[in-house]
Each structure stands twice: as structure tokens, then as C-alpha cells.
Amino acid sequence: MTIELMEKLKEAVIEGDEVAAYECAVKALADGMKPLEIVKASIQPAMDVVGEQFQNGEAFLPELILAGDAATKALEVILQEVDGSGESIGKGTVVIGVAFGDNHDIGKNLVLAVLSAYGFRVVDLGVNVSVKEFIAAAEREKADIVAISTLMTTSMPYQRELVKLLDAMGKRDQYFVVVGGGPVTPVWTKKIAADGYGRDAKDAANLCLKMVESGKKPPFDEPMFEGALDAASSI
């Protein structure tokens, strides 16, 4: 039954069916599934499928948006469960948002869900976030990590600006900077002197875990990569 339910949730997200996605998420939680299990078994794989279809020209922007809306609807239920479960184990605080000029938040929402399930305290800044807003939030929340994502190449320079401004303010050694999003690569991560890059939500969460458990202070001499070994090896 669990496998069948996870397949239904995955299909609902792919088809952009918000109602079905919501109902499947509620049912999965009622059946005792853990939030992270649901994300890993259904929502992340569904978005991977839609993303690949979009890249191959088999799906277009409307389908991508519908799938993102369905995934967000399911994640709303899952995040409520995480917030109320008392499962946070104090891994650290992550300030997360989408770079200025970009309003696409499904990738950010997936990372948020997995980080929360992993025991991080996550502060969601939303979309279209300026570099100064990221830094102000990091200071206010006493963050360990600042995670900035984008699905638009036109917003990628703000990831570099974040690193540069932290350095200019003398605060670069206070926060790890993690970057991600469709056009972001390990090569770009190294070029802008960020601390790490995760290929997808699970990889980003694993990366954050490794950072806080490393015992080192930012910035790293070389960025860490998770789920991108082939790309990283070509740098």
C-alpha cells in the first residue's frame, strides 16, 4: 500500500494535480510515513522527471509550473508535520531563499523540506531576495549556512555578489555559502568562491550536514560538492 501510495503521489505531482498530491501526502503521514521518506520516495523523483522532460523538450513551462504547484501543495502538509513533530535535533540554522530576480521556489521548497527533516532549523526568506536581505537574515538568525538558489541565469550573479559582499563586510568567515539551482554548476561554485553545491534537495541537505559536522570554519579552501562528482572532477 505504501509503495502504491508513493507512486500515486509521484504521478500527481508529475501531472500537476494539486488536490491529489495534497490528499496523498495527508494519507502518507496518517499511515505513519516520515516526512523525509515521502520527499525522497515521491516528490523529489517526480520533480526530477518533470525537470528532465522540460530539458528534453517533452514538457513546457506550463507543465513545469503545474508540477511545482502540486509539489508545493504536498510539501505544505509535510512541513507542518516536521514543524510540529519536535524532531529538530539542533544540526544548525540555515537561511534559505531564491536570488533576486527569480520567483521560482519549488527547488528551494524541496531543500527546505529535507533540511527540516534532517534536524536543521530553516529560515525561509522566500523568492526574489536581495543580497543584503540574505546577510541581514543571517545576522539576525545567527545562521550557520546561507543557501541561495536560482533557476535563472540572469540571477546567478547575485550568488557571486553575496560572497563578495560578505567578504567586503569582513563577515565571510561567519557563514558557509551554499549555491544551487538548474543553471548552477560545480565550475560556477568554484569560480565565485562559494563553499558548496548540491545537485538536488537530498544532496544539498547532505552537503549542509557535512559542513556543520566538519569542525571547520568558512570559507573552505575548495568548495564541497554533493551529487556532482563527475562535474567536479573536470574542474
Side-chain angles (χ1 to χ4, degrees), residues 187-204:
V187 173
W188 170 253
T189 304
K190 184 172 184 178
K191 182 177 181 180
I192 68 173
D195 294 300
Y197 159 85
R199 184 180 58 85
D200 59 24
K202 176 175 63 66
D203 292 332

Side-chain angles (χ1 to χ4, degrees), residues 149-170:
S149 72
T150 183
L151 285 178
M152 300 178 64
T153 55
T154 51
S155 292
M156 288 174 65
Y158 293 109
Q159 295 180 329
R160 174 166 47 197
E161 184 179 329
L162 174 62
V163 176
K164 284 187 173 182
L165 186 54
L166 282 171
D167 191 47
M169 295 172 68

Side-chain angles (χ1 to χ4, degrees), residues 7-223:
E7 281 300 316
K8 285 183 178 180
L9 176 53
K10 179 181 175 181
E11 193 63 29
V13 172
I14 292 172
E15 295 296 326
D17 189 336
E18 290 186 43
V19 174
Y22 175 86
E23 291 176 347
C24 288
V26 170
K27 174 64 174 170
L29 290 169
D31 286 350
M33 287 195 69
K34 293 182 178 180
L36 182 57
E37 291 176 341
I38 302 171
V39 173
K40 291 170 64 177
S42 293
I43 300 178
Q44 180 69 63
M47 292 309 300
D48 288 344
V49 169
V50 177
E52 186 174 341
Q53 290 175 343
F54 181 72
Q55 290 178 350
N56 295 338
E58 300 171 8
F60 301 96
L61 188 57
E63 288 90 343
L64 190 64
I65 293 172
L66 287 172
D69 289 344
T72 298
K73 198 68 177 178
L75 283 171
E76 287 176 2
V77 184
I78 293 167
L79 285 174
Q80 287 174 5
E81 179 67 18
V82 171
D83 290 341
S85 66
E87 291 180 358
S88 176
I89 52 177
K91 287 294 184 182
T93 297
V94 181
V95 165
I96 189 170
V98 180
F100 187 76
D102 190 346
N103 292 308
H104 302 90
D105 65 356
I106 180 57
K108 181 264 296 175
N109 290 342
L110 284 168
V111 175
L112 191 160
V114 180
L115 282 172
S116 297
Y118 273 25
F120 283 93
R121 172 175 172 260
V122 188
V123 179
D124 183 10
L125 302 182
V127 300
N128 200 33
V129 183
S130 72
V131 168
K132 289 184 178 180
E133 287 177 296
F134 273 107
I135 296 174
E139 293 178 325
R140 181 178 67 249
E141 303 294 340
K142 296 180 173 55
D144 301 285
I145 298 170
V146 178
I148 175 171
S149 72
T150 183
L151 285 178
M152 300 178 64
T153 55
T154 51
S155 292
M156 288 174 65
Y158 293 109
Q159 295 180 329
R160 174 166 47 197
E161 184 179 329
L162 174 62
V163 176
K164 284 187 173 182
L165 186 54
L166 282 171
D167 191 47
M169 295 172 68
K171 299 179 183 295
R172 184 64 183 91
D173 63 347
Q174 295 181 25
Y175 315 105
F176 291 112
V177 177
V178 173
V179 297
V184 181
T185 65
V187 173
W188 170 253
T189 304
K190 184 172 184 178
K191 182 177 181 180
I192 68 173
D195 294 300
Y197 159 85
R199 184 180 58 85
D200 59 24
K202 176 175 63 66
D203 292 332
N206 285 334
L207 176 68
C208 290
L209 276 176
K210 289 181 179 179
M211 283 181 171
V212 298
E213 292 174 352
S214 69
K216 298 179 180 179
K217 290 188 63 176
F220 288 141
D221 293 333
E222 292 287 334

